[in-house]
Amino acid sequence: MSDLLPPDAEEMRAWAEAARAAFPAPFAALSSDVRVVVEEWPDDALLDEMKIESAFGLTGLYEGAALTERSVDHPEPPSTVTLFRRPILDEWADRGDVGLRALVVHVTVHEFAHHFGWSDEDIARIDRWWE
């Protein structure tokens, strides 16, 4: 990343992949089949479906069935973690109290937590990030 330009989608994705690579056992193995993508913005249909008024309100998304909801009889196709680059950049600029890479890692870990079957409430109990 240059001093004048924010990271592009590929650099942000590389940060997310590095975060996943650092997961401890058994989470590293359990996350290996999840796709990680970076898009500029969430689309309007997704925002409508989630009842989110502003695209700036969604920095990441987990799509798929949590591991706790899968079974041998009903395996799921690979899941996806999507990071939304522009909302992350906006949140980083607004916060001013966290590094950009740290924010990307946080959003990545939060979305993977949903893959592991944790609810937002479960995550909040162990991660006081937003306080």
Side-chain angles (χ1 to χ4, degrees):
M1 180 169 86
S2 85
D3 289 339
L4 300 175
L5 298 173
D8 64 15
E10 278 308 305
E11 187 167 9
M12 201 174 272
R13 186 178 166 285
W15 293 350
E17 289 291 357
R20 178 195 352 215
F23 287 172
F27 299 106
L30 294 171
S31 69
S32 64
D33 69 339
V34 177
R35 289 184 32 207
V36 175
V37 297
V38 177
E39 295 180 4
E40 287 298 300
W41 296 100
D43 65 35
D44 290 338
L46 175 62
L47 294 171
D48 290 346
E49 177 184 329
M50 296 184 74
K51 296 180 176 49
I52 298 174
E53 291 186 25
S54 169
F56 290 105
L58 187 61
T59 56
L61 178 69
Y62 172 73
E63 294 177 284
L67 294 175
T68 55
E69 298 172 1
R70 297 181 186 185
S71 72
V72 174
D73 295 330
H74 300 288
E76 293 291 324
S79 300
T80 302
V81 165
T82 303
L83 305 180
F84 297 107
R85 182 178 166 275
R86 294 291 302 274
I88 289 172
L89 290 172
D90 188 70
E91 180 176 331
W92 169 68
D94 281 351
R95 287 179 62 102
D97 66 347
V98 65
L100 179 55
R101 188 174 186 152
L103 181 59
V104 170
V105 167
H106 173 77
V107 173
T108 301
V109 170
H110 181 97
E111 297 310 327
F112 270 100
H114 291 301
H115 173 67
F116 302 132
W118 301 355
S119 69
D120 282 332
E121 294 77 23
D122 294 333
I123 297 165
R125 279 195 294 277
I126 62 169
D127 182 3
R128 308 311 302 171
W129 177 274
W130 306 117
E131 291 182 347

